[in-house]
mmCIF file of all heavy atoms in Angstrom:
data_model
loop_
_atom_site.group_PDB
_atom_site.id
_atom_site.type_symbol
_atom_site.label_atom_id
_atom_site.label_comp_id
_atom_site.label_asym_id
_atom_site.label_seq_id
_atom_site.Cartn_x
_atom_site.Cartn_y
_atom_site.Cartn_z
ATOM 1 N N ASP A 131 208.262 195.983 98.873
ATOM 2 C CA ASP A 131 207.159 195.816 98.084
ATOM 3 C C ASP A 131 207.533 195.807 96.508
ATOM 4 O O ASP A 131 208.573 196.050 96.106
ATOM 5 C CB ASP A 131 206.220 197.084 98.256
ATOM 6 C CG ASP A 131 204.696 196.791 97.943
ATOM 7 O OD1 ASP A 131 204.420 195.710 97.249
ATOM 8 O OD2 ASP A 131 203.889 197.511 98.356
ATOM 9 N N SER A 132 206.560 195.198 95.706
ATOM 10 C CA SER A 132 206.760 194.951 94.253
ATOM 11 C C SER A 132 205.479 195.457 93.541
ATOM 12 O O SER A 132 205.275 194.836 92.521
ATOM 13 C CB SER A 132 207.102 193.586 94.029
ATOM 14 O OG SER A 132 206.202 192.627 94.457
ATOM 15 N N ILE A 133 204.862 196.465 94.064
ATOM 16 C CA ILE A 133 203.579 196.934 93.455
ATOM 17 C C ILE A 133 203.744 197.374 92.029
ATOM 18 O O ILE A 133 202.850 197.410 91.117
ATOM 19 C CB ILE A 133 202.901 197.956 94.270
ATOM 20 C CG1 ILE A 133 201.414 198.133 93.894
ATOM 21 C CG2 ILE A 133 203.684 199.177 94.379
ATOM 22 C CD1 ILE A 133 200.655 199.007 94.849
ATOM 23 N N ALA A 134 204.953 197.948 91.667
ATOM 24 C CA ALA A 134 205.196 198.518 90.388
ATOM 25 C C ALA A 134 205.447 197.526 89.320
ATOM 26 O O ALA A 134 205.487 197.787 88.113
ATOM 27 C CB ALA A 134 206.354 199.488 90.498
ATOM 28 N N VAL A 135 205.667 196.271 89.650
ATOM 29 C CA VAL A 135 206.043 195.199 88.697
ATOM 30 C C VAL A 135 204.906 194.670 87.849
ATOM 31 O O VAL A 135 203.747 194.449 88.368
ATOM 32 C CB VAL A 135 206.616 194.029 89.532
ATOM 33 C CG1 VAL A 135 206.969 192.794 88.554
ATOM 34 C CG2 VAL A 135 207.929 194.286 90.207
ATOM 35 N N ILE A 136 205.219 194.680 86.587
ATOM 36 C CA ILE A 136 204.297 194.027 85.549
ATOM 37 C C ILE A 136 204.973 193.131 84.754
ATOM 38 O O ILE A 136 206.183 193.271 84.322
ATOM 39 C CB ILE A 136 203.720 195.214 84.583
ATOM 40 C CG1 ILE A 136 203.003 196.235 85.383
ATOM 41 C CG2 ILE A 136 202.965 194.532 83.459
ATOM 42 C CD1 ILE A 136 202.707 197.438 84.526
ATOM 43 N N ASP A 137 204.390 191.812 84.577
ATOM 44 C CA ASP A 137 205.074 190.748 83.832
ATOM 45 C C ASP A 137 204.393 190.871 82.468
ATOM 46 O O ASP A 137 203.305 190.822 82.245
ATOM 47 C CB ASP A 137 204.818 189.443 84.652
ATOM 48 C CG ASP A 137 205.507 188.248 83.854
ATOM 49 O OD1 ASP A 137 205.889 188.381 82.683
ATOM 50 O OD2 ASP A 137 205.599 187.228 84.606
ATOM 51 N N ILE A 138 205.387 190.956 81.429
ATOM 52 C CA ILE A 138 204.855 191.248 80.090
ATOM 53 C C ILE A 138 204.461 189.820 79.331
ATOM 54 O O ILE A 138 203.748 189.988 78.420
ATOM 55 C CB ILE A 138 205.948 191.951 79.145
ATOM 56 C CG1 ILE A 138 207.055 191.052 78.875
ATOM 57 C CG2 ILE A 138 206.271 193.333 79.866
ATOM 58 C CD1 ILE A 138 207.996 191.571 77.872
ATOM 59 N N ARG A 139 204.688 188.670 80.073
ATOM 60 C CA ARG A 139 204.322 187.538 79.410
ATOM 61 C C ARG A 139 202.852 187.337 79.143
ATOM 62 O O ARG A 139 202.478 186.983 77.905
ATOM 63 C CB ARG A 139 204.745 186.300 80.122
ATOM 64 C CG ARG A 139 204.482 184.974 79.489
ATOM 65 C CD ARG A 139 204.869 183.773 80.225
ATOM 66 N NE ARG A 139 206.322 183.335 80.097
ATOM 67 C CZ ARG A 139 206.805 182.759 79.052
ATOM 68 N NH1 ARG A 139 206.006 182.299 78.044
ATOM 69 N NH2 ARG A 139 208.056 182.415 78.988
ATOM 70 N N PRO A 140 202.020 187.657 79.987
ATOM 71 C CA PRO A 140 200.504 187.609 79.735
ATOM 72 C C PRO A 140 200.136 188.655 78.569
ATOM 73 O O PRO A 140 199.092 188.413 77.950
ATOM 74 C CB PRO A 140 199.900 188.098 81.053
ATOM 75 C CG PRO A 140 200.815 187.647 82.151
ATOM 76 C CD PRO A 140 202.162 187.922 81.481
ATOM 77 N N LEU A 141 200.929 189.774 78.585
ATOM 78 C CA LEU A 141 200.573 190.753 77.516
ATOM 79 C C LEU A 141 200.943 190.115 76.126
ATOM 80 O O LEU A 141 200.241 190.428 75.202
ATOM 81 C CB LEU A 141 201.269 192.055 77.652
ATOM 82 C CG LEU A 141 201.122 192.834 79.107
ATOM 83 C CD1 LEU A 141 201.755 194.100 79.098
ATOM 84 C CD2 LEU A 141 199.550 192.958 79.335
ATOM 85 N N ILE A 142 202.010 189.414 76.110
ATOM 86 C CA ILE A 142 202.368 188.681 74.881
ATOM 87 C C ILE A 142 201.249 187.715 74.474
ATOM 88 O O ILE A 142 200.892 187.671 73.252
ATOM 89 C CB ILE A 142 203.667 187.972 75.011
ATOM 90 C CG1 ILE A 142 204.794 188.916 75.492
ATOM 91 C CG2 ILE A 142 203.968 187.221 73.858
ATOM 92 C CD1 ILE A 142 205.178 189.912 74.248
ATOM 93 N N SER A 143 200.725 187.055 75.443
ATOM 94 C CA SER A 143 199.648 186.146 75.154
ATOM 95 C C SER A 143 198.582 186.736 74.487
ATOM 96 O O SER A 143 197.714 186.235 73.643
ATOM 97 C CB SER A 143 199.220 185.404 76.360
ATOM 98 O OG SER A 143 200.350 184.682 76.893
ATOM 99 N N LEU A 144 198.227 187.972 74.919
ATOM 100 C CA LEU A 144 197.053 188.713 74.419
ATOM 101 C C LEU A 144 197.436 189.283 72.955
ATOM 102 O O LEU A 144 196.521 189.191 72.063
ATOM 103 C CB LEU A 144 196.676 189.941 75.166
ATOM 104 C CG LEU A 144 195.892 189.501 76.581
ATOM 105 C CD1 LEU A 144 195.842 190.738 77.413
ATOM 106 C CD2 LEU A 144 194.393 189.078 76.182
#
Side-chain angles (χ1 to χ4, degrees):
D131 205 343
S132 57
I133 192 173
V135 174
I136 296 169
D137 191 336
I138 68 168
R139 183 182 278 280
L141 304 184
I142 299 294
S143 298
L144 285 168

